[in-house]
Amino acid sequence: MKNFKTLLLVAAALLVSLSLGAKPKIRIIATGGTIAGVSSTSASSAYTAGQVGIQTLLDAVPQILNLADVSGEQLVNIGSQDMNDEVWLKLAKRINVLLNEEGYDGIVITHGTDTMEETAYFLNLTVKSDKPVVLAGSMRPSNAISADGPANLYNAVAAAVSPNTRGYGVLCCMNNQLLDAKTVIKTHTIDCDTFEGGPSGIIGYIYNGEAHMLQTPNNKHTINSVFDVTKLDRLPQVGIVYGYANASALPMQAFVDAKFDGIVLAGVGDGNFYKDVFDVAVKAQNQGIQIVRSSRCPTGPTCLNSEVDDEKYHFVAALDLNPQKARVLLMLALTKTHDWQEIQQFFKEY
Ligand code: GLU
């Protein structure tokens, strides 16, 4: 009996020491983008996104193996201009399984930078875990001189293994910086230093393989989000209409004719419509197509009941969300309700 107890204690001690020494288990989900892109000449900006697979990306940064027990899977291999609702649903469901059923400690997603902010925000609202989920991409293709992909991937894994990033929701990791899914925006078409966190700035940074956090997100996300895609195989259809001087009402009318579920206005200034577009928007809202007012201005909120009387028309103001993220939230909101006041409340909380 005494020997048996000793044996149990030794086994328990062995298990504890093994688990203390074990590296965090990180899954890399590859979706394509410039980080997996190949240029015909290494000095050229002409290249094709989504060419090399996950193993080639990992082979370029063997140092990652010092940080984590890393494995990878290729979900799709596309330029992120081709990202769509179907891939988003697949991605969110897969991440939930990996984190909640398969024991992974964190997820890194390689992704094109064009729509990275939208994917990040969609996942921020649909991942059901407080474990780190980090998106990384690059602005230069994998075989370019001074390719930025390897460092971004290494930093993203460093962020995903860090206890400091737990509970922060979904992050983007580019150019040594960590950006919050709600505020991150791509600001430059070609520079490596393209991502910014809006007026609140970056949420953290990576230095020497360590994540340092500067502030916490103040919106609901991940485990506190009501949005659940487990049983969804499609999302409501929501389009974006761009505002400009002398704007044509045709794009708005086309979405109405196609029976879209919602339309986001990338309005001028504080989410204002050109008068012809406004008339179609009022009719659309009366037909049950939810209108959300956002702005083409890169900074500043679209305020409720400012120049447009939202309460009168039952429009929703996007507040801090840019048009492309307002579209993401409206799609998810419409899976829950068609009440404009409840949808406005989601825009206040998320
Ligand atoms: N269009 C590409 C994409 O988003 C290029 C942008 C990038 O990855 O940097 O996948």
Side-chain angles (χ1 to χ4, degrees), residues 105-138:
D105 298 302
I107 303 288
V108 168
I109 302 154
T110 57
H111 197 290
T113 56
D114 288 355
T115 60
M116 185 186 282
E117 65 191 82
E118 290 160 71
T119 301
Y121 188 55
F122 179 78
L123 295 176
N124 208 36
L125 302 179
T126 54
V127 165
K128 300 289 172 206
S129 170
D130 67 352
K131 294 177 186 173
V133 175
V134 186
L135 285 93
S138 75

PDB file of all heavy atoms in Angstrom, residues 105-138:
ATOM      1  N   ASP A 105      -3.962  26.157 -27.047  1.00  0.00           N
ATOM      2  CA  ASP A 105      -3.839  27.303 -26.132  1.00  0.00           C
ATOM      3  C   ASP A 105      -4.001  28.640 -26.846  1.00  0.00           C
ATOM      4  O   ASP A 105      -4.180  29.674 -26.201  1.00  0.00           O
ATOM      5  CB  ASP A 105      -2.461  27.276 -25.453  1.00  0.00           C
ATOM      6  CG  ASP A 105      -2.293  26.020 -24.622  1.00  0.00           C
ATOM      7  OD1 ASP A 105      -3.119  25.794 -23.720  1.00  0.00           O
ATOM      8  OD2 ASP A 105      -1.357  25.232 -24.898  1.00  0.00           O
ATOM      9  N   GLY A 106      -3.886  28.626 -28.146  1.00  0.00           N
ATOM     10  CA  GLY A 106      -4.036  29.870 -28.900  1.00  0.00           C
ATOM     11  C   GLY A 106      -4.033  29.578 -30.384  1.00  0.00           C
ATOM     12  O   GLY A 106      -3.632  28.495 -30.819  1.00  0.00           O
ATOM     13  N   ILE A 107      -4.486  30.576 -31.146  1.00  0.00           N
ATOM     14  CA  ILE A 107      -4.600  30.422 -32.603  1.00  0.00           C
ATOM     15  C   ILE A 107      -3.901  31.599 -33.278  1.00  0.00           C
ATOM     16  O   ILE A 107      -4.044  32.747 -32.845  1.00  0.00           O
ATOM     17  CB  ILE A 107      -6.094  30.451 -33.046  1.00  0.00           C
ATOM     18  CG1 ILE A 107      -6.919  29.367 -32.338  1.00  0.00           C
ATOM     19  CG2 ILE A 107      -6.218  30.360 -34.572  1.00  0.00           C
ATOM     20  CD1 ILE A 107      -6.661  27.956 -32.772  1.00  0.00           C
ATOM     21  N   VAL A 108      -3.159  31.281 -34.344  1.00  0.00           N
ATOM     22  CA  VAL A 108      -2.633  32.329 -35.221  1.00  0.00           C
ATOM     23  C   VAL A 108      -3.225  32.091 -36.611  1.00  0.00           C
ATOM     24  O   VAL A 108      -3.267  30.960 -37.084  1.00  0.00           O
ATOM     25  CB  VAL A 108      -1.086  32.281 -35.277  1.00  0.00           C
ATOM     26  CG1 VAL A 108      -0.544  33.166 -36.395  1.00  0.00           C
ATOM     27  CG2 VAL A 108      -0.504  32.721 -33.936  1.00  0.00           C
ATOM     28  N   ILE A 109      -3.718  33.159 -37.218  1.00  0.00           N
ATOM     29  CA  ILE A 109      -4.305  33.045 -38.562  1.00  0.00           C
ATOM     30  C   ILE A 109      -3.455  33.874 -39.510  1.00  0.00           C
ATOM     31  O   ILE A 109      -3.248  35.073 -39.269  1.00  0.00           O
ATOM     32  CB  ILE A 109      -5.754  33.584 -38.568  1.00  0.00           C
ATOM     33  CG1 ILE A 109      -6.600  32.825 -37.554  1.00  0.00           C
ATOM     34  CG2 ILE A 109      -6.372  33.477 -39.967  1.00  0.00           C
ATOM     35  CD1 ILE A 109      -7.773  33.639 -37.044  1.00  0.00           C
ATOM     36  N   THR A 110      -2.939  33.254 -40.562  1.00  0.00           N
ATOM     37  CA  THR A 110      -2.255  34.058 -41.580  1.00  0.00           C
ATOM     38  C   THR A 110      -3.302  34.483 -42.604  1.00  0.00           C
ATOM     39  O   THR A 110      -4.164  33.697 -43.002  1.00  0.00           O
ATOM     40  CB  THR A 110      -1.095  33.286 -42.244  1.00  0.00           C
ATOM     41  OG1 THR A 110      -1.602  32.080 -42.813  1.00  0.00           O
ATOM     42  CG2 THR A 110      -0.028  32.950 -41.228  1.00  0.00           C
ATOM     43  N   HIS A 111      -3.230  35.750 -42.999  1.00  0.00           N
ATOM     44  CA  HIS A 111      -4.347  36.365 -43.724  1.00  0.00           C
ATOM     45  C   HIS A 111      -3.832  37.525 -44.563  1.00  0.00           C
ATOM     46  O   HIS A 111      -2.902  38.227 -44.157  1.00  0.00           O
ATOM     47  CB  HIS A 111      -5.335  36.899 -42.664  1.00  0.00           C
ATOM     48  CG  HIS A 111      -6.706  37.217 -43.153  1.00  0.00           C
ATOM     49  ND1 HIS A 111      -6.976  38.284 -43.984  1.00  0.00           N
ATOM     50  CD2 HIS A 111      -7.899  36.624 -42.906  1.00  0.00           C
ATOM     51  CE1 HIS A 111      -8.291  38.326 -44.232  1.00  0.00           C
ATOM     52  NE2 HIS A 111      -8.873  37.319 -43.594  1.00  0.00           N
ATOM     53  N   GLY A 112      -4.443  37.766 -45.701  1.00  0.00           N
ATOM     54  CA  GLY A 112      -4.135  38.960 -46.487  1.00  0.00           C
ATOM     55  C   GLY A 112      -4.504  40.204 -45.707  1.00  0.00           C
ATOM     56  O   GLY A 112      -5.384  40.168 -44.836  1.00  0.00           O
ATOM     57  N   THR A 113      -3.837  41.297 -46.015  1.00  0.00           N
ATOM     58  CA  THR A 113      -4.074  42.500 -45.210  1.00  0.00           C
ATOM     59  C   THR A 113      -5.287  43.314 -45.681  1.00  0.00           C
ATOM     60  O   THR A 113      -5.810  44.116 -44.933  1.00  0.00           O
ATOM     61  CB  THR A 113      -2.828  43.415 -45.227  1.00  0.00           C
ATOM     62  OG1 THR A 113      -2.509  43.717 -46.576  1.00  0.00           O
ATOM     63  CG2 THR A 113      -1.655  42.746 -44.551  1.00  0.00           C
ATOM     64  N   ASP A 114      -5.716  43.087 -46.936  1.00  0.00           N
ATOM     65  CA  ASP A 114      -6.804  43.925 -47.487  1.00  0.00           C
ATOM     66  C   ASP A 114      -8.072  43.884 -46.631  1.00  0.00           C
ATOM     67  O   ASP A 114      -8.709  44.908 -46.417  1.00  0.00           O
ATOM     68  CB  ASP A 114      -7.167  43.474 -48.912  1.00  0.00           C
ATOM     69  CG  ASP A 114      -6.101  43.827 -49.934  1.00  0.00           C
ATOM     70  OD1 ASP A 114      -5.125  44.501 -49.577  1.00  0.00           O
ATOM     71  OD2 ASP A 114      -6.261  43.425 -51.101  1.00  0.00           O
ATOM     72  N   THR A 115      -8.466  42.703 -46.204  1.00  0.00           N
ATOM     73  CA  THR A 115      -9.705  42.568 -45.418  1.00  0.00           C
ATOM     74  C   THR A 115      -9.434  42.003 -44.025  1.00  0.00           C
ATOM     75  O   THR A 115     -10.358  41.527 -43.359  1.00  0.00           O
ATOM     76  CB  THR A 115     -10.740  41.671 -46.143  1.00  0.00           C
ATOM     77  OG1 THR A 115     -10.161  40.378 -46.333  1.00  0.00           O
ATOM     78  CG2 THR A 115     -11.148  42.255 -47.486  1.00  0.00           C
ATOM     79  N   MET A 116      -8.178  42.087 -43.591  1.00  0.00           N
ATOM     80  CA  MET A 116      -7.838  41.519 -42.280  1.00  0.00           C
ATOM     81  C   MET A 116      -8.686  42.131 -41.164  1.00  0.00           C
ATOM     82  O   MET A 116      -9.120  41.450 -40.227  1.00  0.00           O
ATOM     83  CB  MET A 116      -6.354  41.725 -41.973  1.00  0.00           C
ATOM     84  CG  MET A 116      -5.916  41.056 -40.700  1.00  0.00           C
ATOM     85  SD  MET A 116      -4.224  41.465 -40.266  1.00  0.00           S
ATOM     86  CE  MET A 116      -3.307  40.425 -41.359  1.00  0.00           C
ATOM     87  N   GLU A 117      -8.944  43.444 -41.271  1.00  0.00           N
ATOM     88  CA  GLU A 117      -9.692  44.093 -40.184  1.00  0.00           C
ATOM     89  C   GLU A 117     -11.121  43.550 -40.073  1.00  0.00           C
ATOM     90  O   GLU A 117     -11.667  43.430 -38.978  1.00  0.00           O
ATOM     91  CB  GLU A 117      -9.705  45.612 -40.369  1.00  0.00           C
ATOM     92  CG  GLU A 117     -10.427  46.091 -41.585  1.00  0.00           C
ATOM     93  CD  GLU A 117     -10.179  47.582 -41.878  1.00  0.00           C
ATOM     94  OE1 GLU A 117      -9.145  47.915 -42.483  1.00  0.00           O
ATOM     95  OE2 GLU A 117     -11.026  48.388 -41.518  1.00  0.00           O
ATOM     96  N   GLU A 118     -11.710  43.184 -41.212  1.00  0.00           N
ATOM     97  CA  GLU A 118     -13.079  42.657 -41.180  1.00  0.00           C
ATOM     98  C   GLU A 118     -13.116  41.252 -40.591  1.00  0.00           C
ATOM     99  O   GLU A 118     -13.983  40.913 -39.785  1.00  0.00           O
ATOM    100  CB  GLU A 118     -13.674  42.645 -42.599  1.00  0.00           C
ATOM    101  CG  GLU A 118     -13.960  44.021 -43.135  1.00  0.00           C
ATOM    102  CD  GLU A 118     -14.075  44.044 -44.654  1.00  0.00           C
ATOM    103  OE1 GLU A 118     -15.070  43.519 -45.177  1.00  0.00           O
ATOM    104  OE2 GLU A 118     -13.173  44.580 -45.308  1.00  0.00           O
ATOM    105  N   THR A 119     -12.156  40.420 -41.008  1.00  0.00           N
ATOM    106  CA  THR A 119     -12.089  39.059 -40.463  1.00  0.00           C
ATOM    107  C   THR A 119     -11.837  39.116 -38.956  1.00  0.00           C
ATOM    108  O   THR A 119     -12.463  38.390 -38.173  1.00  0.00           O
ATOM    109  CB  THR A 119     -10.982  38.245 -41.161  1.00  0.00           C
ATOM    110  OG1 THR A 119     -11.273  38.194 -42.551  1.00  0.00           O
ATOM    111  CG2 THR A 119     -10.885  36.832 -40.612  1.00  0.00           C
ATOM    112  N   ALA A 120     -10.922  40.012 -38.554  1.00  0.00           N
ATOM    113  CA  ALA A 120     -10.603  40.127 -37.124  1.00  0.00           C
ATOM    114  C   ALA A 120     -11.858  40.499 -36.335  1.00  0.00           C
ATOM    115  O   ALA A 120     -12.150  39.914 -35.283  1.00  0.00           O
ATOM    116  CB  ALA A 120      -9.510  41.171 -36.917  1.00  0.00           C
ATOM    117  N   TYR A 121     -12.617  41.462 -36.861  1.00  0.00           N
ATOM    118  CA  TYR A 121     -13.806  41.919 -36.130  1.00  0.00           C
ATOM    119  C   TYR A 121     -14.895  40.834 -36.127  1.00  0.00           C
ATOM    120  O   TYR A 121     -15.551  40.609 -35.100  1.00  0.00           O
ATOM    121  CB  TYR A 121     -14.322  43.220 -36.754  1.00  0.00           C
ATOM    122  CG  TYR A 121     -15.419  43.872 -35.946  1.00  0.00           C
ATOM    123  CD1 TYR A 121     -15.233  44.183 -34.598  1.00  0.00           C
ATOM    124  CD2 TYR A 121     -16.655  44.158 -36.517  1.00  0.00           C
ATOM    125  CE1 TYR A 121     -16.246  44.769 -33.853  1.00  0.00           C
ATOM    126  CE2 TYR A 121     -17.665  44.749 -35.773  1.00  0.00           C
ATOM    127  CZ  TYR A 121     -17.460  45.048 -34.446  1.00  0.00           C
ATOM    128  OH  TYR A 121     -18.460  45.616 -33.703  1.00  0.00           O
ATOM    129  N   PHE A 122     -15.050  40.125 -37.257  1.00  0.00           N
ATOM    130  CA  PHE A 122     -16.035  39.039 -37.304  1.00  0.00           C
ATOM    131  C   PHE A 122     -15.683  37.981 -36.241  1.00  0.00           C
ATOM    132  O   PHE A 122     -16.546  37.519 -35.486  1.00  0.00           O
ATOM    133  CB  PHE A 122     -16.068  38.406 -38.704  1.00  0.00           C
ATOM    134  CG  PHE A 122     -17.032  37.262 -38.826  1.00  0.00           C
ATOM    135  CD1 PHE A 122     -18.393  37.498 -38.964  1.00  0.00           C
ATOM    136  CD2 PHE A 122     -16.600  35.940 -38.756  1.00  0.00           C
ATOM    137  CE1 PHE A 122     -19.306  36.445 -39.046  1.00  0.00           C
ATOM    138  CE2 PHE A 122     -17.492  34.887 -38.828  1.00  0.00           C
ATOM    139  CZ  PHE A 122     -18.858  35.146 -38.975  1.00  0.00           C
ATOM    140  N   LEU A 123     -14.408  37.612 -36.176  1.00  0.00           N
ATOM    141  CA  LEU A 123     -13.998  36.586 -35.201  1.00  0.00           C
ATOM    142  C   LEU A 123     -14.119  37.108 -33.770  1.00  0.00           C
ATOM    143  O   LEU A 123     -14.444  36.358 -32.849  1.00  0.00           O
ATOM    144  CB  LEU A 123     -12.567  36.126 -35.487  1.00  0.00           C
ATOM    145  CG  LEU A 123     -12.367  35.400 -36.826  1.00  0.00           C
ATOM    146  CD1 LEU A 123     -10.893  35.082 -37.051  1.00  0.00           C
ATOM    147  CD2 LEU A 123     -13.197  34.117 -36.896  1.00  0.00           C
ATOM    148  N   ASN A 124     -13.873  38.397 -33.592  1.00  0.00           N
ATOM    149  CA  ASN A 124     -13.987  38.999 -32.257  1.00  0.00           C
ATOM    150  C   ASN A 124     -15.406  38.833 -31.702  1.00  0.00           C
ATOM    151  O   ASN A 124     -15.617  38.753 -30.497  1.00  0.00           O
ATOM    152  CB  ASN A 124     -13.653  40.490 -32.363  1.00  0.00           C
ATOM    153  CG  ASN A 124     -13.082  41.072 -31.096  1.00  0.00           C
ATOM    154  OD1 ASN A 124     -12.346  40.405 -30.386  1.00  0.00           O
ATOM    155  ND2 ASN A 124     -13.425  42.307 -30.796  1.00  0.00           N
ATOM    156  N   LEU A 125     -16.376  38.779 -32.610  1.00  0.00           N
ATOM    157  CA  LEU A 125     -17.778  38.670 -32.197  1.00  0.00           C
ATOM    158  C   LEU A 125     -18.264  37.226 -32.156  1.00  0.00           C
ATOM    159  O   LEU A 125     -19.363  36.959 -31.649  1.00  0.00           O
ATOM    160  CB  LEU A 125     -18.667  39.467 -33.168  1.00  0.00           C
ATOM    161  CG  LEU A 125     -18.358  40.961 -33.306  1.00  0.00           C
ATOM    162  CD1 LEU A 125     -19.287  41.609 -34.315  1.00  0.00           C
ATOM    163  CD2 LEU A 125     -18.471  41.662 -31.967  1.00  0.00           C
ATOM    164  N   THR A 126     -17.488  36.287 -32.706  1.00  0.00           N
ATOM    165  CA  THR A 126     -18.022  34.922 -32.855  1.00  0.00           C
ATOM    166  C   THR A 126     -17.155  33.825 -32.241  1.00  0.00           C
ATOM    167  O   THR A 126     -17.605  32.685 -32.152  1.00  0.00           O
ATOM    168  CB  THR A 126     -18.230  34.602 -34.355  1.00  0.00           C
ATOM    169  OG1 THR A 126     -17.010  34.838 -35.058  1.00  0.00           O
ATOM    170  CG2 THR A 126     -19.328  35.456 -34.958  1.00  0.00           C
ATOM    171  N   VAL A 127     -15.932  34.153 -31.829  1.00  0.00           N
ATOM    172  CA  VAL A 127     -15.091  33.148 -31.156  1.00  0.00           C
ATOM    173  C   VAL A 127     -15.552  33.049 -29.709  1.00  0.00           C
ATOM    174  O   VAL A 127     -15.756  34.073 -29.043  1.00  0.00           O
ATOM    175  CB  VAL A 127     -13.594  33.534 -31.233  1.00  0.00           C
ATOM    176  CG1 VAL A 127     -12.767  32.721 -30.249  1.00  0.00           C
ATOM    177  CG2 VAL A 127     -13.064  33.336 -32.650  1.00  0.00           C
ATOM    178  N   LYS A 128     -15.717  31.828 -29.232  1.00  0.00           N
ATOM    179  CA  LYS A 128     -16.212  31.629 -27.860  1.00  0.00           C
ATOM    180  C   LYS A 128     -15.087  31.146 -26.943  1.00  0.00           C
ATOM    181  O   LYS A 128     -15.106  30.015 -26.451  1.00  0.00           O
ATOM    182  CB  LYS A 128     -17.355  30.589 -27.859  1.00  0.00           C
ATOM    183  CG  LYS A 128     -18.547  30.994 -28.703  1.00  0.00           C
ATOM    184  CD  LYS A 128     -19.298  32.132 -28.038  1.00  0.00           C
ATOM    185  CE  LYS A 128     -20.369  32.688 -28.922  1.00  0.00           C
ATOM    186  NZ  LYS A 128     -20.694  34.073 -28.642  1.00  0.00           N
ATOM    187  N   SER A 129     -14.099  31.957 -26.775  1.00  0.00           N
ATOM    188  CA  SER A 129     -12.980  31.600 -25.899  1.00  0.00           C
ATOM    189  C   SER A 129     -12.239  32.875 -25.536  1.00  0.00           C
ATOM    190  O   SER A 129     -12.221  33.826 -26.329  1.00  0.00           O
ATOM    191  CB  SER A 129     -12.024  30.650 -26.633  1.00  0.00           C
ATOM    192  OG  SER A 129     -10.837  30.489 -25.878  1.00  0.00           O
ATOM    193  N   ASP A 130     -11.623  32.883 -24.347  1.00  0.00           N
ATOM    194  CA  ASP A 130     -10.788  34.051 -24.022  1.00  0.00           C
ATOM    195  C   ASP A 130      -9.311  33.782 -24.308  1.00  0.00           C
ATOM    196  O   ASP A 130      -8.444  34.585 -23.981  1.00  0.00           O
ATOM    197  CB  ASP A 130     -11.019  34.510 -22.578  1.00  0.00           C
ATOM    198  CG  ASP A 130     -10.526  33.504 -21.564  1.00  0.00           C
ATOM    199  OD1 ASP A 130     -10.138  32.383 -21.973  1.00  0.00           O
ATOM    200  OD2 ASP A 130     -10.530  33.833 -20.360  1.00  0.00           O
ATOM    201  N   LYS A 131      -9.027  32.626 -24.963  1.00  0.00           N
ATOM    202  CA  LYS A 131      -7.633  32.353 -25.336  1.00  0.00           C
ATOM    203  C   LYS A 131      -7.227  33.258 -26.515  1.00  0.00           C
ATOM    204  O   LYS A 131      -8.089  33.664 -27.299  1.00  0.00           O
ATOM    205  CB  LYS A 131      -7.492  30.887 -25.743  1.00  0.00           C
ATOM    206  CG  LYS A 131      -7.721  29.894 -24.600  1.00  0.00           C
ATOM    207  CD  LYS A 131      -7.632  28.473 -25.117  1.00  0.00           C
ATOM    208  CE  LYS A 131      -7.993  27.460 -24.067  1.00  0.00           C
ATOM    209  NZ  LYS A 131      -8.067  26.089 -24.614  1.00  0.00           N
ATOM    210  N   PRO A 132      -5.926  33.527 -26.664  1.00  0.00           N
ATOM    211  CA  PRO A 132      -5.502  34.439 -27.739  1.00  0.00           C
ATOM    212  C   PRO A 132      -5.801  33.918 -29.152  1.00  0.00           C
ATOM    213  O   PRO A 132      -5.571  32.749 -29.450  1.00  0.00           O
ATOM    214  CB  PRO A 132      -3.992  34.555 -27.530  1.00  0.00           C
ATOM    215  CG  PRO A 132      -3.751  34.117 -26.125  1.00  0.00           C
ATOM    216  CD  PRO A 132      -4.816  33.120 -25.788  1.00  0.00           C
ATOM    217  N   VAL A 133      -6.315  34.823 -29.971  1.00  0.00           N
ATOM    218  CA  VAL A 133      -6.496  34.572 -31.412  1.00  0.00           C
ATOM    219  C   VAL A 133      -5.846  35.762 -32.112  1.00  0.00           C
ATOM    220  O   VAL A 133      -6.245  36.910 -31.884  1.00  0.00           O
ATOM    221  CB  VAL A 133      -7.995  34.472 -31.780  1.00  0.00           C
ATOM    222  CG1 VAL A 133      -8.157  34.344 -33.293  1.00  0.00           C
ATOM    223  CG2 VAL A 133      -8.651  33.296 -31.058  1.00  0.00           C
ATOM    224  N   VAL A 134      -4.820  35.505 -32.914  1.00  0.00           N
ATOM    225  CA  VAL A 134      -4.016  36.592 -33.483  1.00  0.00           C
ATOM    226  C   VAL A 134      -3.904  36.430 -35.000  1.00  0.00           C
ATOM    227  O   VAL A 134      -3.543  35.358 -35.481  1.00  0.00           O
ATOM    228  CB  VAL A 134      -2.589  36.582 -32.869  1.00  0.00           C
ATOM    229  CG1 VAL A 134      -1.798  37.800 -33.335  1.00  0.00           C
ATOM    230  CG2 VAL A 134      -2.639  36.528 -31.348  1.00  0.00           C
ATOM    231  N   LEU A 135      -4.224  37.483 -35.730  1.00  0.00           N
ATOM    232  CA  LEU A 135      -4.064  37.455 -37.188  1.00  0.00           C
ATOM    233  C   LEU A 135      -2.748  38.113 -37.575  1.00  0.00           C
ATOM    234  O   LEU A 135      -2.386  39.149 -36.998  1.00  0.00           O
ATOM    235  CB  LEU A 135      -5.201  38.209 -37.885  1.00  0.00           C
ATOM    236  CG  LEU A 135      -6.540  37.488 -37.928  1.00  0.00           C
ATOM    237  CD1 LEU A 135      -7.397  37.892 -36.753  1.00  0.00           C
ATOM    238  CD2 LEU A 135      -7.275  37.772 -39.220  1.00  0.00           C
ATOM    239  N   ALA A 136      -2.064  37.492 -38.535  1.00  0.00           N
ATOM    240  CA  ALA A 136      -0.811  38.082 -39.027  1.00  0.00           C
ATOM    241  C   ALA A 136      -0.808  38.025 -40.543  1.00  0.00           C
ATOM    242  O   ALA A 136      -1.349  37.102 -41.142  1.00  0.00           O
ATOM    243  CB  ALA A 136       0.385  37.321 -38.473  1.00  0.00           C
ATOM    244  N   GLY A 137      -0.189  39.017 -41.135  1.00  0.00           N
ATOM    245  CA  GLY A 137      -0.058  39.038 -42.590  1.00  0.00           C
ATOM    246  C   GLY A 137       1.252  39.680 -42.949  1.00  0.00           C
ATOM    247  O   GLY A 137       2.167  39.758 -42.120  1.00  0.00           O
ATOM    248  N   SER A 138       1.358  40.129 -44.169  1.00  0.00           N
ATOM    249  CA  SER A 138       2.554  40.860 -44.562  1.00  0.00           C
ATOM    250  C   SER A 138       2.198  41.779 -45.710  1.00  0.00           C
ATOM    251  O   SER A 138       1.180  41.588 -46.378  1.00  0.00           O
ATOM    252  CB  SER A 138       3.670  39.904 -44.989  1.00  0.00           C
ATOM    253  OG  SER A 138       3.376  39.390 -46.264  1.00  0.00           O
TER     254      SER A 138
END
